[in-house]
Coordinates of all heavy atoms in Angstrom, one line a residue:
Y3 N -89.9 219.7 309.2 CA -90.1 218.2 309.2 C -88.8 217.5 309.3 O -88.6 216.5 310.0 CB -90.8 217.8 307.9 CG -91.1 216.4 307.7 CD1 -92.3 215.8 308.2 CD2 -90.3 215.5 307.0 CE1 -92.7 214.5 308.0 CE2 -90.6 214.2 306.8 CZ -91.8 213.7 307.3 OH -92.1 212.3 307.1
S4 N -87.8 218.0 308.6 CA -86.5 217.3 308.5 C -85.4 218.3 308.7 O -84.7 218.7 307.8 CB -86.5 216.7 307.0 OG -85.3 216.1 306.8
R5 N -85.3 218.6 310.0 CA -84.4 219.7 310.4 C -83.0 219.6 309.8 O -82.4 220.5 309.3 CB -84.4 219.9 311.9 CG -83.7 221.2 312.4 CD -84.0 221.5 313.8 NE -85.4 222.0 314.0 CZ -85.7 223.3 313.7 NH1 -84.8 224.2 313.3 NH2 -86.9 223.7 313.9
E6 N -82.5 218.3 310.0 CA -81.1 218.1 309.5 C -80.8 218.6 308.1 O -79.8 219.2 307.8 CB -80.8 216.6 309.7 CG -79.3 216.3 309.3 CD -79.1 214.8 309.2 OE1 -80.0 214.0 309.6 OE2 -78.0 214.4 308.8
Y7 N -81.8 218.2 307.2 CA -81.5 218.6 305.8 C -82.1 220.0 305.5 O -81.5 220.7 304.7 CB -82.2 217.5 304.9 CG -81.4 216.2 305.0 CD1 -81.9 215.2 305.8 CD2 -80.2 216.1 304.4 CE1 -81.2 214.0 305.9 CE2 -79.4 214.9 304.5 CZ -80.0 213.8 305.2 OH -79.2 212.7 305.4
E8 N -83.2 220.3 306.0 CA -83.8 221.6 305.6 C -83.0 222.8 306.1 O -83.2 223.9 305.6 CB -85.3 221.6 306.1 CG -86.2 220.7 305.3 CD -87.6 220.7 305.8 OE1 -88.0 219.9 306.7 OE2 -88.4 221.5 305.3
T9 N -82.2 222.6 307.2 CA -81.4 223.7 307.7 C -79.9 223.5 307.6 O -79.1 224.1 308.3 CB -81.8 224.0 309.2 OG1 -81.4 222.9 309.9 CG2 -83.3 224.3 309.4
M10 N -79.5 222.6 306.7 CA -78.1 222.3 306.6 C -77.3 223.5 306.1 O -77.7 224.3 305.4 CB -78.0 221.2 305.4 CG -76.9 220.3 305.5 SD -77.2 219.0 304.3 CE -76.2 217.7 305.0
L11 N -76.0 223.5 306.6 CA -75.2 224.6 306.1 C -75.0 224.5 304.6 O -74.9 223.4 304.1 CB -73.8 224.4 306.7 CG -73.6 224.9 308.2 CD1 -72.2 224.5 308.6 CD2 -73.8 226.4 308.3
R12 N -75.0 225.6 303.9 CA -75.0 225.6 302.5 C -73.8 224.8 301.9 O -73.9 224.0 301.0 CB -74.9 227.0 301.9 CG -76.1 227.8 302.0 CD -77.4 227.3 301.2 NE -77.2 227.0 299.8 CZ -78.1 226.4 299.1 NH1 -79.3 226.2 299.6 NH2 -77.9 226.1 297.8
E13 N -72.7 225.0 302.6 CA -71.5 224.2 302.1 C -71.6 222.7 302.2 O -71.3 222.0 301.2 CB -70.4 224.5 303.2 CG -69.3 225.4 302.9 CD -68.5 225.6 304.1 OE1 -67.8 224.7 304.6 OE2 -68.6 226.8 304.6
D14 N -72.2 222.3 303.3 CA -72.4 220.8 303.5 C -73.5 220.4 302.4 O -73.3 219.3 301.9 CB -72.9 220.5 304.9 CG -71.8 220.9 305.9 OD1 -70.7 221.1 305.5 OD2 -72.2 221.0 307.1
L15 N -74.5 221.2 302.3 CA -75.5 220.8 301.3 C -75.0 220.6 299.9 O -75.3 219.7 299.2 CB -76.7 221.9 301.4 CG -77.8 221.6 300.4 CD1 -78.6 220.3 300.8 CD2 -78.8 222.8 300.4
E16 N -74.1 221.6 299.5 CA -73.6 221.5 298.2 C -72.7 220.3 298.0 O -72.6 219.7 297.0 CB -72.9 222.8 297.8 CG -73.9 223.9 297.5 CD -73.5 225.3 297.3 OE1 -72.3 225.5 297.2 OE2 -74.3 226.2 297.4
Q17 N -71.9 220.0 299.1 CA -71.1 218.8 299.0 C -72.0 217.6 298.9 O -71.7 216.7 298.0 CB -70.3 218.8 300.4 CG -69.4 217.6 300.5 CD -68.3 217.5 299.4 OE1 -67.9 218.5 298.9 NE2 -68.0 216.3 299.0
L18 N -73.0 217.5 299.6 CA -74.0 216.4 299.5 C -74.6 216.3 298.1 O -74.7 215.2 297.5 CB -75.1 216.6 300.6 CG -76.2 215.5 300.6 CD1 -75.6 214.3 301.4 CD2 -77.4 216.0 301.4
Q19 N -74.9 217.4 297.6 CA -75.5 217.4 296.2 C -74.5 216.8 295.2 O -74.9 216.0 294.4 CB -75.8 218.9 295.8 CG -77.1 219.4 296.4 CD -77.4 220.8 295.9 OE1 -76.6 221.6 295.7 NE2 -78.7 221.0 295.6
V20 N -73.2 217.2 295.3 CA -72.2 216.7 294.4 C -72.0 215.2 294.5 O -72.0 214.5 293.5 CB -70.9 217.5 294.5 CG1 -69.8 216.9 293.6 CG2 -71.0 219.0 294.2
E21 N -72.0 214.8 295.7 CA -71.8 213.3 295.9 C -73.0 212.6 295.4 O -72.9 211.5 294.7 CB -71.7 213.0 297.5 CG -70.4 213.3 298.0 CD -70.4 213.4 299.5 OE1 -71.3 212.9 300.2 OE2 -69.4 214.0 300.1
R22 N -74.2 213.1 295.6 CA -75.4 212.4 295.2 C -75.5 212.5 293.6 O -76.0 211.6 293.0 CB -76.7 213.0 295.8 CG -76.7 212.6 297.3 CD -78.0 213.2 298.0 NE -78.2 212.5 299.3 CZ -79.1 212.8 300.1 NH1 -80.0 213.7 299.8 NH2 -79.3 212.1 301.3
L23 N -75.0 213.6 293.1 CA -75.1 213.8 291.6 C -74.2 212.7 291.0 O -74.6 212.1 290.0 CB -74.6 215.2 291.2 CG -74.4 215.4 289.8 CD1 -75.7 215.4 289.0 CD2 -73.8 216.8 289.5
Q24 N -73.0 212.5 291.5 CA -72.0 211.5 291.0 C -72.7 210.2 290.9 O -72.6 209.5 289.9 CB -70.8 211.5 291.9 CG -69.8 212.5 291.6 CD -68.8 212.1 290.6 OE1 -68.7 210.9 290.3 NE2 -68.1 213.0 290.0
M25 N -73.3 209.8 292.0 CA -74.0 208.5 292.1 C -75.1 208.4 291.0 O -75.2 207.4 290.3 CB -74.6 208.3 293.4 CG -73.7 207.6 294.4 SD -74.2 207.6 296.1 CE -76.0 207.6 296.0
T26 N -75.8 209.5 290.8 CA -76.9 209.4 289.9 C -76.4 209.3 288.4 O -76.9 208.6 287.6 CB -77.8 210.7 290.0 OG1 -78.3 210.8 291.3 CG2 -79.0 210.7 289.1
L27 N -75.3 210.0 288.2 CA -74.7 210.0 286.8 C -74.2 208.6 286.5 O -74.5 208.1 285.4 CB -73.5 211.0 286.7 CG -73.9 212.5 286.8 CD1 -72.7 213.4 286.8 CD2 -74.9 212.9 285.7
H28 N -73.6 207.9 287.4 CA -73.2 206.5 287.2 C -74.4 205.7 286.9 O -74.4 204.8 286.0 CB -72.4 206.0 288.4 CG -71.0 206.5 288.4 ND1 -70.0 206.2 287.4 CD2 -70.3 207.3 289.2 CE1 -68.9 206.8 287.7 NE2 -69.0 207.5 288.8
Q29 N -75.4 205.9 287.7 CA -76.6 205.1 287.6 C -77.3 205.2 286.2 O -77.7 204.3 285.6 CB -77.5 205.5 288.7 CG -78.9 204.9 288.9 CD -79.7 205.7 289.8 OE1 -79.4 206.8 290.2 NE2 -80.9 205.3 290.1
V30 N -77.4 206.5 285.8 CA -78.1 206.7 284.5 C -77.2 206.2 283.3 O -77.7 205.7 282.3 CB -78.6 208.1 284.2 CG1 -79.6 208.5 285.2 CG2 -77.4 209.1 284.1
Y31 N -75.9 206.4 283.5 CA -75.0 206.0 282.4 C -75.1 204.5 282.2 O -75.1 203.9 281.1 CB -73.5 206.4 282.7 CG -72.6 206.1 281.6 CD1 -72.6 206.9 280.4 CD2 -71.7 205.0 281.6 CE1 -71.8 206.6 279.3 CE2 -70.9 204.7 280.6 CZ -70.9 205.6 279.4 OH -70.1 205.3 278.4
R32 N -75.1 203.8 283.3 CA -75.2 202.3 283.3 C -76.5 201.8 282.8 O -76.6 200.8 282.1 CB -74.9 201.7 284.7 CG -73.6 201.0 284.8 CD -73.4 200.4 286.2 NE -72.9 201.3 287.2 CZ -73.6 201.7 288.3 NH1 -74.8 201.2 288.5 NH2 -73.1 202.5 289.1
N33 N -77.6 202.5 283.2 CA -78.9 201.8 283.0 C -79.9 202.5 282.0 O -80.9 201.9 281.7 CB -79.6 201.7 284.4 CG -78.8 200.9 285.4 OD1 -78.3 199.9 285.0 ND2 -78.6 201.5 286.6
V34 N -79.6 203.7 281.6 CA -80.6 204.3 280.7 C -79.9 204.6 279.4 O -79.0 205.4 279.3 CB -81.1 205.6 281.3 CG1 -82.2 206.2 280.4 CG2 -81.7 205.4 282.7
S35 N -80.4 203.9 278.3 CA -79.6 204.0 277.1 C -79.5 205.4 276.5 O -78.4 205.8 276.0 CB -80.1 203.0 276.0 OG -81.4 203.3 275.7
F36 N -80.5 206.2 276.6 CA -80.4 207.5 275.9 C -79.4 208.4 276.7 O -78.7 209.2 276.1 CB -81.7 208.2 275.6 CG -82.4 208.9 276.8 CD1 -82.0 210.2 277.2 CD2 -83.5 208.3 277.4 CE1 -82.7 210.8 278.2 CE2 -84.1 208.9 278.5 CZ -83.7 210.2 278.9
Y37 N -79.2 208.2 278.0 CA -78.2 209.0 278.7 C -76.8 208.5 278.3 O -75.9 209.2 278.1 CB -78.4 208.9 280.2 CG -79.4 209.9 280.7 CD1 -80.5 209.4 281.5 CD2 -79.3 211.2 280.4 CE1 -81.5 210.3 281.9 CE2 -80.3 212.1 280.9 CZ -81.4 211.7 281.6 OH -82.3 212.6 282.1
K38 N -76.7 207.1 278.2 CA -75.4 206.6 277.8 C -75.0 207.2 276.4 O -73.8 207.7 276.3 CB -75.5 205.1 277.7 CG -74.1 204.5 277.3 CD -74.1 203.0 277.3 CE -72.8 202.3 277.0 NZ -71.8 203.1 276.3
H39 N -75.9 207.3 275.5 CA -75.6 207.8 274.2 C -75.3 209.3 274.3 O -74.3 209.8 273.7 CB -76.8 207.6 273.2 CG -76.9 206.2 272.8 ND1 -78.1 205.6 272.7 CD2 -76.0 205.2 272.5 CE1 -78.0 204.3 272.4 NE2 -76.7 204.1 272.3
L40 N -76.1 210.0 275.0 CA -75.8 211.5 275.2 C -74.5 211.7 275.8 O -73.7 212.6 275.3 CB -76.9 212.1 276.1 CG -78.3 212.4 275.4 CD1 -79.2 212.9 276.5 CD2 -78.1 213.4 274.3
F41 N -74.1 211.0 276.8 CA -72.8 211.2 277.5 C -71.7 210.8 276.5 O -70.7 211.5 276.4 CB -72.7 210.4 278.8 CG -73.6 210.9 279.9 CD1 -74.6 211.8 279.7 CD2 -73.4 210.4 281.2 CE1 -75.4 212.3 280.8 CE2 -74.2 210.9 282.3 CZ -75.2 211.8 282.0
D42 N -71.8 209.7 275.8 CA -70.8 209.2 274.9 C -70.6 210.2 273.8 O -69.4 210.6 273.5 CB -71.1 207.9 274.3 CG -70.9 206.7 275.4 OD1 -70.3 207.0 276.4 OD2 -71.4 205.6 275.1
D43 N -71.7 210.7 273.2 CA -71.6 211.7 272.1 C -70.8 212.9 272.6 O -70.1 213.5 271.8 CB -73.0 212.1 271.7 CG -73.7 211.0 270.9 OD1 -73.0 210.0 270.6 OD2 -74.9 211.2 270.6
R44 N -71.1 213.3 273.8 CA -70.4 214.6 274.3 C -69.1 214.3 275.0 O -68.5 215.2 275.6 CB -71.3 215.3 275.3 CG -72.5 216.0 274.6 CD -73.5 216.5 275.6 NE -74.5 217.3 274.9 CZ -75.5 216.8 274.1 NH1 -75.5 215.5 273.9 NH2 -76.4 217.6 273.6
K45 N -68.7 213.0 275.0 CA -67.4 212.6 275.6 C -67.4 213.1 277.1 O -66.4 213.6 277.5 CB -66.2 213.1 274.9 CG -66.2 212.7 273.4 CD -64.9 212.8 272.8 CE -64.8 212.2 271.4 NZ -66.0 212.0 270.6
I46 N -68.5 212.8 277.8 CA -68.5 213.2 279.2 C -67.9 212.2 280.1 O -68.3 211.0 280.0 CB -70.0 213.5 279.6 CG1 -70.5 214.7 278.9 CG2 -70.1 213.6 281.1 CD1 -71.9 215.0 279.0
E47 N -66.9 212.6 280.8 CA -66.3 211.7 281.8 C -67.0 212.0 283.2 O -66.8 213.1 283.7 CB -64.8 211.9 282.0 CG -64.0 211.6 280.7 CD -64.0 210.1 280.4 OE1 -64.2 209.3 281.4 OE2 -63.8 209.7 279.2
I48 N -67.7 211.1 283.7 CA -68.4 211.3 284.9 C -67.5 211.8 286.1 O -67.8 212.7 286.8 CB -69.3 210.1 285.4 CG1 -70.3 209.9 284.3 CG2 -69.9 210.3 286.7 CD1 -71.1 208.6 284.4
E49 N -66.3 211.2 286.1 CA -65.4 211.6 287.2 C -65.0 213.1 287.1 O -64.6 213.7 288.1 CB -64.1 210.8 287.1 CG -64.3 209.3 287.1 CD -65.1 208.8 288.3 OE1 -65.1 209.5 289.3 OE2 -65.9 207.8 288.1
E50 N -65.2 213.7 285.9 CA -64.8 215.1 285.8 C -65.9 216.1 286.3 O -65.7 217.3 286.4 CB -64.5 215.4 284.3 CG -63.1 214.9 284.0 CD -62.8 215.1 282.5 OE1 -63.6 215.8 281.8 OE2 -61.9 214.5 282.0
I51 N -67.1 215.5 286.6 CA -68.1 216.4 287.2 C -67.9 216.4 288.7 O -68.4 215.6 289.5 CB -69.5 215.8 286.8 CG1 -69.6 215.5 285.3 CG2 -70.7 216.7 287.3 CD1 -69.6 216.6 284.4
K52 N -67.1 217.4 289.1 CA -66.7 217.5 290.5 C -67.3 218.5 291.3 O -67.2 218.6 292.5 CB -65.2 217.7 290.5 CG -64.3 216.6 290.0 CD -62.9 216.7 290.4 CE -61.9 216.0 289.5 NZ -61.5 216.8 288.4
S53 N -68.0 219.5 290.6 CA -68.6 220.6 291.4 C -69.9 220.9 290.7 O -70.2 220.5 289.6 CB -67.7 221.8 291.5 OG -67.7 222.4 290.2
L54 N -70.7 221.8 291.4 CA -72.0 222.2 290.8 C -71.8 223.0 289.5 O -72.6 223.0 288.6 CB -72.8 222.9 291.8 CG -73.3 222.1 293.0 CD1 -74.1 223.0 293.9 CD2 -74.1 220.9 292.6
K55 N -70.7 223.7 289.4 CA -70.3 224.4 288.2 C -70.2 223.5 287.0 O -70.6 223.9 285.9 CB -69.0 225.2 288.5 CG -68.6 226.2 287.5 CD -69.3 227.6 287.8 CE -69.2 228.5 286.7 NZ -70.1 228.3 285.5
D56 N -69.8 222.3 287.3 CA -69.6 221.3 286.1 C -70.9 220.8 285.6 O -70.9 220.2 284.5 CB -68.8 220.1 286.6 CG -67.3 220.5 287.0 OD1 -66.8 221.5 286.4 OD2 -66.7 219.8 287.9
L57 N -72.0 221.1 286.3 CA -73.3 220.7 285.7 C -73.5 221.2 284.3 O -74.1 220.5 283.5 CB -74.4 221.4 286.6 CG -75.1 220.6 287.7 CD1 -76.2 221.6 288.2 CD2 -75.8 219.4 287.2
E58 N -73.0 222.3 284.0 CA -73.1 222.9 282.7 C -72.6 222.0 281.6 O -73.0 222.2 280.4 CB -72.3 224.2 282.6 CG -73.1 225.5 283.0 CD -72.2 226.7 282.7 OE1 -72.0 227.0 281.5 OE2 -71.8 227.4 283.7
K59 N -71.7 221.1 281.9 CA -71.2 220.2 280.9 C -72.2 219.1 280.5 O -72.0 218.5 279.5 CB -69.9 219.6 281.4 CG -68.8 220.5 281.7 CD -67.6 219.8 282.3 CE -66.5 220.8 282.7 NZ -65.6 220.2 283.7
L60 N -73.2 219.0 281.3 CA -74.1 217.8 281.1 C -75.2 218.2 280.1 O -75.6 219.4 280.1 CB -74.7 217.4 282.5 CG -73.7 216.9 283.5 CD1 -74.4 216.7 284.8 CD2 -73.1 215.6 283.0
P61 N -75.7 217.3 279.4 CA -76.8 217.6 278.5 C -78.1 217.8 279.2 O -78.3 217.4 280.3 CB -76.9 216.3 277.6 CG -76.4 215.2 278.5 CD -75.4 215.8 279.4
F62 N -79.0 218.5 278.5 CA -80.4 218.7 279.1 C -81.2 217.5 278.7 O -80.9 216.7 277.8 CB -81.0 219.9 278.4 CG -80.4 221.2 278.9 CD1 -79.5 221.9 278.1 CD2 -80.8 221.7 280.2 CE1 -79.0 223.1 278.5 CE2 -80.2 222.9 280.6 CZ -79.3 223.6 279.8
T63 N -82.3 217.3 279.5 CA -83.3 216.3 279.1 C -84.6 217.0 278.8 O -85.0 217.9 279.6 CB -83.6 215.3 280.3 OG1 -82.4 214.8 280.8 CG2 -84.5 214.2 279.9
A64 N -85.2 216.7 277.7 CA -86.4 217.4 277.3 C -87.6 216.4 277.4 O -87.4 215.2 277.4 CB -86.3 217.9 275.8
K65 N -88.8 216.9 277.4 CA -90.0 216.1 277.4 C -89.9 215.1 276.2 O -90.3 213.9 276.4 CB -91.2 216.9 277.1 CG -92.0 217.3 278.4 CD -93.3 217.9 278.0 CE -94.0 218.7 279.1 NZ -94.1 218.2 280.4
E66 N -89.4 215.5 275.1 CA -89.3 214.7 273.9 C -88.4 213.4 274.2 O -88.8 212.3 273.7 CB -88.7 215.5 272.8 CG -88.8 215.0 271.4 CD -90.2 214.6 271.0 OE1 -91.2 215.1 271.5 OE2 -90.3 213.7 270.2
N67 N -87.3 213.6 274.9 CA -86.5 212.4 275.2 C -87.4 211.3 276.0 O -87.2 210.1 275.8 CB -85.3 212.7 276.1 CG -84.3 213.7 275.5 OD1 -84.3 214.8 275.8 ND2 -83.6 213.2 274.5
L68 N -88.2 211.8 276.9 CA -89.0 210.9 277.7 C -90.1 210.3 276.9 O -90.5 209.2 277.1 CB -89.5 211.7 279.0 CG -88.4 212.3 279.8 CD1 -89.0 213.0 281.0 CD2 -87.4 211.3 280.3
R69 N -90.7 211.1 276.0 CA -91.7 210.6 275.2 C -91.2 209.5 274.3 O -91.9 208.4 274.1 CB -92.3 211.7 274.3 CG -93.8 212.0 274.4 CD -94.2 213.3 273.7 NE -93.6 213.4 272.4 CZ -94.0 212.8 271.3 NH1 -95.0 212.0 271.3 NH2 -93.4 213.0 270.1
Q70 N -90.0 209.7 273.8 CA -89.4 208.7 272.9 C -89.0 207.4 273.7 O -88.8 206.4 273.1 CB -88.2 209.2 272.2 CG -88.6 210.2 271.1 CD -87.4 211.0 270.6 OE1 -86.3 210.9 271.1 NE2 -87.6 211.8 269.6
S71 N -89.0 207.5 275.0 CA -88.6 206.3 275.8 C -89.9 205.5 276.2 O -89.8 204.7 277.1 CB -87.9 206.8 277.0 OG -86.9 207.6 276.7
Y72 N -91.0 205.9 275.6 CA -92.3 205.2 276.0 C -92.2 203.7 275.8 O -91.8 203.3 274.8 CB -93.4 205.8 275.1 CG -94.8 205.3 275.4 CD1 -95.5 205.8 276.5 CD2 -95.3 204.3 274.7 CE1 -96.8 205.4 276.8 CE2 -96.6 203.8 274.9 CZ -97.3 204.4 276.0 OH -98.6 203.9 276.2
P73 N -92.7 202.9 276.7 CA -93.1 203.3 278.0 C -92.0 203.2 279.1 O -92.0 204.1 280.0 CB -94.2 202.2 278.4 CG -93.9 201.0 277.6 CD -93.1 201.5 276.4
Y74 N -91.1 202.3 279.0 CA -90.2 202.1 280.1 C -88.7 202.3 279.9 O -87.9 202.1 280.8 CB -90.3 200.6 280.6 CG -91.7 200.2 281.1 CD1 -92.3 199.0 280.7 CD2 -92.5 201.1 281.8 CE1 -93.5 198.6 281.1 CE2 -93.8 200.8 282.2 CZ -94.3 199.5 281.8 OH -95.6 199.2 282.3
E75 N -88.4 202.8 278.7 CA -87.0 202.9 278.3 C -86.2 203.9 279.2 O -84.9 203.8 279.3 CB -86.8 203.4 276.9 CG -87.1 202.4 275.8 CD -86.2 201.3 275.9 OE1 -85.0 201.5 275.7 OE2 -86.6 200.1 276.1
A76 N -86.8 204.8 279.9 CA -86.1 205.8 280.7 C -85.9 205.3 282.2 O -85.3 205.9 283.0 CB -86.7 207.1 280.7
F77 N -86.5 204.1 282.4 CA -86.4 203.6 283.8 C -84.9 203.1 284.1 O -84.3 202.5 283.2 CB -87.3 202.4 284.1 CG -88.8 202.7 284.2 CD1 -89.2 204.0 283.8 CD2 -89.7 201.8 284.6 CE1 -90.6 204.3 283.9 CE2 -91.1 202.1 284.8 CZ -91.5 203.4 284.4
A78 N -84.4 203.4 285.2 CA -83.0 203.0 285.5 C -83.0 201.8 286.4 O -81.9 201.4 286.9 CB -82.3 204.2 286.3
V79 N -84.1 201.1 286.6 CA -84.1 199.8 287.4 C -85.0 198.9 286.7 O -85.9 199.3 285.9 CB -84.7 200.0 288.8 CG1 -83.8 201.0 289.7 CG2 -86.1 200.5 288.8
P80 N -84.8 197.6 286.9 CA -85.7 196.6 286.2 C -87.2 196.7 286.7 O -87.4 197.2 287.9 CB -85.2 195.2 286.7 CG -84.0 195.5 287.5 CD -83.8 196.9 287.8
L81 N -88.1 196.3 285.9 CA -89.5 196.5 286.2 C -89.9 195.8 287.5 O -90.8 196.3 288.3 CB -90.4 195.9 285.1 CG -90.9 196.9 284.1 CD1 -91.8 196.2 283.1 CD2 -91.6 198.1 284.7

Side-chain angles (χ1 to χ4, degrees):
Y3 182 87
S4 175
R5 189 164 287 281
E6 181 189 352
Y7 291 103
E8 287 177 271
T9 63
M10 209 172 203
L11 282 176
R12 289 296 310 173
E13 259 172 65
D14 296 346
L15 179 63
E16 282 169 20
Q17 179 59 31
L18 181 76
Q19 284 186 317
V20 173
E21 284 164 17
R22 290 181 165 178
L23 173 66
Q24 277 273 343
M25 269 166 34
T26 304
L27 292 176
H28 282 294
Q29 181 196 3
V30 297
Y31 185 75
R32 248 184 278 120
N33 301 315
V34 184
S35 63
F36 79 81
Y37 280 125
K38 181 172 184 338
H39 290 137
L40 282 175
F41 288 15
D42 286 346
D43 287 350
R44 287 171 174 70
K45 305 202 172 11
I46 290 167
E47 295 292 337
I48 295 173
E49 302 312 328
E50 284 173 13
I51 310 294
K52 294 198 202 86
S53 75
L54 295 179
K55 190 84 196 73
D56 294 331
L57 261 182
E58 266 188 70
K59 298 179 186 157
L60 297 171
F62 289 102
T63 310
K65 261 192 200 310
E66 193 52 27
N67 295 109
L68 303 181
R69 237 171 43 80
Q70 285 167 356
S71 308
Y72 182 82
Y74 300 140
E75 286 294 302
F77 286 12
V79 298
L81 265 185

